[in-house]
Amino acid sequence: MVTGGAGFIGSHTAVSLVAAGFEPIIVDNFSNSEHKILNGLEEILGRRLTCHEADCNDADAMAQIFAAEKPAGIIHFAASKAVGESVQKPLLYYRNNLNSLMVFLELMPRHNVRSLVLSTTCTVYGQPEHLPVTEATPRLPASSPYGNTKAMGEDIIRDCVASQMPIKAISLRYFNPIGAHSSAIIGELPRGVPANLVPYLLQVAAGKRESLTIHGNDYNTPDGTAIRDYIHVIDLAEAHVSALQLLGSKNADSFYDIFNIGTGTGASVLDLINTFEQVTGITLPYMLGPRRPGDIEQIYADVTKATEGLNWKTKRSLAEALDDAWRWQQTL
């Protein structure tokens, strides 16, 4: 069962699951995704995937889906995800992101569903003292309700497993997913003004927005701009497949672990812009602006644990991710 399976990461994970021999069942309420992504999945896969249009907070609806589908495991993406909005609407975020997780944790033992992969985030590290960050890097207080829901979600699962609830779970702490399927049939569909750098950059390149603003060029980094760890969404999708396979191989009744999912390499905002220009031949208009409150200076992952524990590593470059994303943008 792939909750939020019509979303950006969920839809790409559905494709990777099929490639690995799994049968994804999508559950999505389409509050932040589009039905046309299901058509895209059908075009890529050559058949229609089962999709239940339902809210993961609706325990009765979820119980009916569990009973009908009898899933072997769950990959839980469904959540509200805009940092800025979470500051304005904290209760919406706590209710949506945490209640939905608890609905699944209550239903899983009743329906003998053992495996759970949770989507979390590197924002739990805040601005770390040491780079790259490992899974042992201390979590810092979240700078937004969104980030706090992800940290709390990890804690809820950890406590459930510690109580000997018969659940095997993995939390994947994502870094910065970008890119699109190589077919350019599915990709990221932001609603309104994109909050993330790459979707905004793509809209500037496509002439839909006038110019890009780089928020801060006075950071303590080689070129003064902020550094992030950008990972191709297909590499990220494949990490979920590896996590599910690892859970399936565990004989223990209860199990929990956390993995960083990134490339292990940081790229600055200017690095990303320059790579995009080299890949596409397009010159991007941009201007320098002040830092944004809450933005961290730099973060990138140590992925040793994921490489060894999940038998997984990234295969696609920043240039490939931007090329795929640009070809997807041109279809919109």
Side-chain angles (χ1 to χ4, degrees):
M1 184 185 294
V2 183
T3 75
F8 175 41
I9 303 170
S11 59
H12 289 81
T13 300
V15 174
S16 294
L17 284 165
V18 171
F22 292 93
E23 180 60 29
I25 306 297
I26 291 173
V27 178
D28 205 305
N29 68 356
F30 295 92
S31 62
N32 195 36
S33 55
E34 304 292 342
H35 289 84
K36 70 178 184 179
I37 292 297
L38 300 177
N39 299 332
L41 289 172
E42 183 174 12
E43 189 176 346
I44 290 168
L45 299 171
R47 60 187 175 86
R48 194 81 171 176
L49 294 180
T50 300
C51 177
H52 295 272
E53 187 164 347
D55 190 322
C56 293
N57 288 289
D58 186 336
D60 291 339
M62 290 304 109
Q64 289 176 17
I65 295 169
F66 269 72
E69 300 293 353
K70 299 178 174 56
I74 298 164
I75 302 179
H76 188 36
F77 295 109
S80 300
K81 63 175 187 175
V83 171
E85 183 186 51
S86 78
V87 175
Q88 303 298 322
K89 301 176 181 178
L91 288 179
L92 183 153
Y93 274 69
Y94 286 115
R95 186 179 298 113
N96 194 36
N97 294 5
L98 297 178
N99 186 59
S100 60
L101 174 61
M102 290 187 283
V103 164
F104 285 110
L105 288 169
E106 288 177 340
L107 286 172
M108 286 173 67
R110 293 183 209 165
H111 293 268
N112 198 32
V113 181
R114 302 294 305 281
S115 298
L116 172 67
V117 181
L118 180 69
S119 157
T120 83
T121 171
C122 68
T123 62
V124 299
Y125 298 118
Q127 179 57 69
E129 286 188 27
H130 304 288
L131 289 169
V133 292
T134 73
E135 291 79 1
T137 297
R139 291 187 337 194
L140 295 178
S143 60
S144 70
Y146 163 74
N148 206 24
T149 64
K150 291 301 185 180
M152 292 172 74
E154 292 183 358
D155 292 344
I156 289 167
I157 294 175
R158 182 199 65 211
D159 291 343
C160 287
V161 170
S163 77
Q164 301 303 306
M165 187 182 288
I167 286 172
K168 299 180 288 183
I170 287 174
S171 290
L172 298 182
R173 290 176 176 166
Y174 309 164
F175 283 69
N176 289 65
I178 61 170
H181 193 264
S182 58
S183 66
I185 293 171
I186 58 172
E188 188 168 8
L189 274 174
R191 288 185 172 178
V193 179
N196 294 331
L197 172 60
V198 170
Y200 199 101
L201 175 155
L202 293 170
Q203 292 187 7
V204 171
K208 296 183 177 181
R209 302 193 183 276
E210 283 190 18
S211 72
L212 179 69
T213 299
I214 295 176
H215 296 286
N217 68 328
D218 58 350
Y219 287 111
N220 184 27
T221 60
D223 62 23
T225 64
I227 289 175
R228 298 289 183 271
D229 187 338
Y230 297 99
I231 178 171
H232 197 300
V233 66
I234 297 291
D235 283 328
L236 177 58
E238 290 171 353
H240 292 81
V241 176
S242 295
L244 207 56
Q245 290 168 333
L246 176 62
L247 291 174
S249 72
K250 292 289 179 184
N251 292 322
D253 288 335
S254 297
F255 171 83
Y256 181 52
D257 210 347
I258 293 168
F259 294 93
N260 285 336
I261 304 298
T263 66
T265 303
S268 73
V269 176
L270 282 176
D271 287 335
L272 188 137
I273 290 172
N274 292 336
T275 302
F276 180 82
E277 291 183 337
Q278 290 165 11
V279 166
T280 64
I282 295 169
T283 300
L284 281 170
Y286 65 84
M287 52 186 165
L288 302 173
R291 299 183 186 189
R292 290 182 301 192
D295 274 359
I296 62 170
E297 180 173 279
Q298 55 183 317
I299 189 168
Y300 50 96
D302 182 318
V303 292
T304 304
K305 185 178 175 184
T307 302
E308 296 174 353
L310 293 178
N311 191 28
W312 165 91
K313 62 181 178 180
T314 56
K315 302 171 186 171
R316 298 156 183 90
S317 67
L318 178 63
E320 286 176 85
L322 291 170
D323 182 44
D324 288 339
W326 174 236
R327 288 187 296 104
W328 157 251
Q329 175 67 46
Q330 290 174 289
T331 69
L332 301 178

